[in-house]
Amino acid sequence: MTAPILRRLSELRALTTKWRRNGETIGVVPTMGALHQGHLSLVEAAKAGTDRVIVTIFVNPKQFNNPEDLAKYPRTEHEDAQKLAPYGVDVIYVPEPEQIYPQGFATNVSVTGLTDVMEGEFRPGHFDGVATVVAKLFLQTQADRAYFGEKDYQQLMIVRRMARDLDIPIEVIGCPTVREPSGLAMSSRNLRLSPDGLAIAANKHRIMQGIAQSLKAGTTFDTLAAKAETDLLAAGFTQVEYVQLRCAETLEPLIHASRPARLFAAAWADGVRLIDNIPV
Ligand code: PAF
């Protein structure tokens, strides 16, 4: 059976207030829809970790720095509800736009520092949009735990910092990236790749793993960065925005994988911008 779809905050609040009164814990999985196995793994984690699970679907205009990207973002509500049916989520919250951004909405949530690099550098304003909508979804759902994929690792760190800084009483839980058998990180954007584009995109994980191996063997990142870019272009990517090694906790740039680190990459294939990261 598909879960009820709620579109208004008042309806959602009526339920969450009842659940909280009964002492039930609430988990939220914030999404923009076009659900794939990566999202469903978050739903599984939420089901295992909390009594009640809310999946939110909201294509957030404020986090798109490129209007074309927003226009092309897949909207598949019916299919999403079908995909969620076997998981027994309690509610799918698909807020009407004015439930998130009512007339005269004038607040911006901006996390400094962590947002200056990588996605923040290449997508100006993106993380303000993310932090603002996620703060609203946390407060609207009154959830105890929120589940995010490590595929968007920088987003995960920013959301965690935002919740901590604003004293929003929620635990932000990161879950491992789910990959296709080819190694390609699952992403709603993969839907826009042609078969050739998919084949090109699958090379990114292999190339990143090669770099991670060299780092583990003691090679410094400064000697590997240029090779990573060359290898991605040779594999068919049309543009490489960044390949960076950063501390897994603070996102500071690193030369050696001397402490828990992550290797991040953003590159374009087949007209689609694809990001990925792996632990080193
Ligand atoms: O990762 C996403 O899908 C979005 O950035 C999120 C967290 C749902 C906020 O719109």
Side-chain angles (χ1 to χ4, degrees):
M1 211 179 62
T2 56
I5 295 179
L6 301 185
R7 299 187 194 274
R8 302 189 65 82
L9 175 58
S10 54
E11 299 165 335
L12 181 71
R13 271 284 161 78
L15 266 183
T16 53
T17 305
K18 193 175 80 187
W19 292 340
R20 296 196 73 83
R21 212 180 286 130
N22 293 342
E24 293 173 298
T25 55
I26 302 172
V28 64
V29 180
T31 82
M32 296 204 297
L35 301 184
H36 51 67
Q37 205 51 47
H39 295 114
L40 299 174
S41 75
L42 304 180
V43 172
E44 272 173 347
K47 283 292 290 181
T50 51
D51 300 318
R52 298 286 185 172
V53 174
I54 304 169
V55 174
T56 70
I57 299 179
F58 181 67
V59 181
N60 174 32
K62 273 199 194 298
Q63 71 185 76
F64 286 83
N65 53 314
N66 175 346
E68 196 189 328
D69 201 19
L70 172 61
K72 282 190 184 161
Y73 205 86
R75 286 154 174 90
T76 55
E77 184 183 309
H78 178 72
E79 291 88 330
D80 291 343
Q82 301 292 323
K83 284 183 192 162
L84 289 170
Y87 293 85
V89 307
D90 293 276
V91 161
I92 307 172
Y93 180 50
V94 190
E96 293 158 353
E98 57 278 15
Q99 301 295 301
I100 300 290
Y101 300 120
Q103 193 68 29
F105 186 84
T107 298
N108 183 47
V109 180
S110 189
V111 177
T112 57
L114 290 175
T115 55
D116 293 344
V117 297
M118 298 192 289
E119 292 304 285
E121 189 183 336
F122 283 90
R123 301 183 66 189
H126 167 67
F127 283 127
D128 281 11
V130 170
T132 304
V133 80
V134 172
K136 289 216 56 154
L137 292 169
F138 283 0
L139 296 167
Q140 291 197 345
T141 58
Q142 302 182 281
D144 301 279
R145 297 198 184 97
Y147 296 81
F148 288 84
E150 287 183 345
K151 150 91 177 20
D152 295 298
Y153 192 86
Q154 190 178 6
Q155 167 175 279
L156 167 66
M157 304 308 268
I158 288 164
V159 164
R160 197 173 267 157
R161 177 70 60 85
M162 177 275 291
R164 191 201 73 178
D165 287 357
L166 297 181
D167 301 318
I168 301 180
I170 194 163
E171 187 186 352
V172 176
I173 296 168
C175 300
T177 303
V178 179
R179 296 182 182 279
E180 302 286 355
S182 67
L184 176 64
M186 291 202 184
S187 163
S188 306
R189 285 165 195 269
N190 297 353
L191 287 176
R192 286 164 44 196
L193 290 167
S194 67
D196 283 354
L198 276 170
I200 293 169
N203 289 298
K204 189 191 291 163
H205 186 236
R206 177 182 55 73
I207 292 168
M208 290 176 77
Q209 277 182 314
I211 295 170
Q213 284 307 325
S214 303
L215 286 164
K216 283 181 202 152
T219 315
T220 55
F221 186 63
D222 46 0
T223 56
L224 293 168
K227 176 174 161 36
E229 184 165 342
T230 314
D231 288 355
L232 286 165
L233 293 172
F237 282 87
T238 49
Q239 190 194 340
V240 179
E241 286 188 349
Y242 60 80
V243 181
Q244 294 181 9
L245 180 71
R246 291 189 173 263
C247 170
E249 287 244 321
T250 61
L251 298 187
E252 286 167 81
L254 295 179
I255 294 291
H256 298 277
S258 48
R259 49 184 148 140
R262 292 193 87 99
L263 180 66
F264 295 86
W268 289 78
D270 200 18
V272 183
R273 186 176 184 277
L274 298 166
I275 61 169
D276 200 351
N277 71 90
I278 55 172
V280 180

